[in-house]
Amino acid sequence: MKATAAITLAALTALSTSALAGDEIVLGDANSTATFDNSNGQYSWTVDGVDHLYAQEFYFRLPGYNNEQNINTLTLLGQAINDTNTFSDDRYDSISTLYGDSASGLEIETTFTLRGGTDGSGISDLAEQISLTNTGTSTIFISFFQYVDFDLGGDSDGDSGMIVDGNIAQQWNGEFALSETVVTPQPTFYQMGYEGDLYELWNNDQIDNLNGDSSLEDDDVAWAFQWDIELEAGDSFLISKDKSIVPAPGSMALLAAAGLISTRRRRA
């Protein structure tokens, strides 16, 4: 059985070369891989050789901030990868990363666990948990954001999407469908729209909140969820969500049955 590999600030080279490629950390399971780094977040999710993801990033805002900040601006406190599926696949399939802010006492831990499908099925799943903890002595008021830009089939154009019930994001084209369900807790706000418009929210040097737009057709779809949180000293706030990719035809029916209802670009 493969042991967990951990990263600390003093030992960033502890990762196995099977998961580490330069600054990238690559998870693998069955027909799927997912690629992360600590500067760009997650920027690849490949299923049967097709890369469907352009970017997934997390942002936060504390009182006194004049804009939203990427969590990679926080101090990297530690990181670990793990093989949670040892008996069927001998690759690392889970990654946890811990960030912290000594001034406020805020710590943010993200955990991703990849589950691929059988070869050629086009099916894959990514479970995600984000924990926000107040390690300080005073109450923290925080706005936390998830930003997602999928290019289904590796093509940035021609996707459509909608947000259902404020916590389910669905995206599809003629070949593939993607669904993300926020299991708990319900987001405070959400927004689906054109990728360029949403990405500008994180780069405009002003305070932004999501506007509740819930659909976009035949375009470069992106979406975001927002949680406004009050964390008393010593408290934690856990976000649990799950993403699934399935192929067409019948892709939306498959997502519903699961209960979840081009050229590659890379951001500099």
Side-chain angles (χ1 to χ4, degrees):
M1 180 178 293
K2 188 185 302 172
T4 299
I7 307 176
T8 67
L9 292 179
L12 288 173
T13 59
L15 281 172
S16 164
T17 55
S18 66
L20 182 62
D23 294 329
E24 300 177 344
I25 299 167
V26 183
L27 303 183
D29 187 77
N31 67 341
S32 304
T33 60
T35 306
F36 303 78
D37 72 33
N38 295 316
S39 298
N40 296 306
Q42 184 187 3
Y43 58 86
S44 176
W45 184 2
T46 299
V47 184
D48 288 316
V50 179
D51 193 351
H52 297 282
L53 179 67
Y54 175 36
Q56 173 168 238
E57 300 169 347
F58 298 102
Y59 294 82
F60 72 102
R61 186 179 66 234
L62 294 172
Y65 282 31
N66 59 11
N67 59 7
E68 293 72 44
Q69 297 287 323
N70 195 303
I71 63 171
N72 65 29
T73 61
L74 299 171
T75 301
L76 176 62
L77 300 178
Q79 195 167 60
I81 57 174
N82 193 22
D83 179 6
T84 66
N85 201 15
T86 306
F87 297 107
S88 60
D89 196 309
D90 193 33
R91 291 177 290 172
Y92 291 106
D93 54 45
S94 183
I95 181 171
S96 296
T97 307
L98 180 64
Y99 304 89
D101 175 40
S102 59
S104 66
L106 174 66
E107 289 187 354
I108 300 175
E109 181 176 3
T110 63
T111 299
F112 301 86
T113 302
L114 178 67
R115 284 289 179 268
T118 58
D119 288 347
S121 67
I123 295 172
S124 188
D125 185 89
L126 189 66
E128 306 175 14
Q129 289 191 325
I130 303 103
S131 176
L132 296 89
T133 301
N134 181 359
T135 66
T137 58
S138 301
T139 299
I140 298 174
F141 298 91
I142 178 173
S143 292
F144 183 78
F145 303 83
Q146 172 203 8
Y147 166 72
V148 185
D149 178 13
F150 273 91
D151 296 342
L152 293 178
D155 188 350
S156 62
D157 296 320
D159 286 4
S160 297
M162 65 174 59
I163 294 178
V164 180
D165 297 331
N167 71 320
I168 301 172
Q170 298 175 344
Q171 186 174 334
W172 61 90
N173 60 18
E175 297 181 272
F176 301 96
L178 175 282
S179 181
E180 174 177 276
T181 298
V182 179
V183 180
T184 185
Q186 186 82 1
T188 310
F189 299 109
Y190 57 84
Q191 185 172 340
M192 177 171 281
Y194 173 63
E195 178 273 336
D197 293 340
L198 267 78
Y199 189 67
E200 180 63 21
L201 295 178
W202 324 121
N203 296 277
N204 60 7
D205 294 324
Q206 66 184 42
I207 291 174
D208 293 287
N209 292 297
L210 303 183
N211 66 13
D213 286 351
S214 61
S215 64
L216 183 69
E217 294 185 5
D218 196 24
D219 213 322
D220 189 354
V221 173
W223 78 81
F225 289 120
Q226 174 180 347
W227 293 263
D228 291 336
I229 307 158
E230 179 179 349
L231 274 180
E232 296 184 2
D235 282 354
S236 293
F237 183 88
L238 180 64
I239 299 168
S240 178
K241 53 196 183 71
D242 188 89
K243 292 185 181 71
S244 290
I245 294 173
V246 297
S251 54
M252 295 308 293
L254 284 172
L255 287 175
L260 297 174
I261 349 228
S262 159
T263 300
R264 276 276 303 150
R265 303 169 294 156
R266 182 169 176 183
R267 196 171 282 131

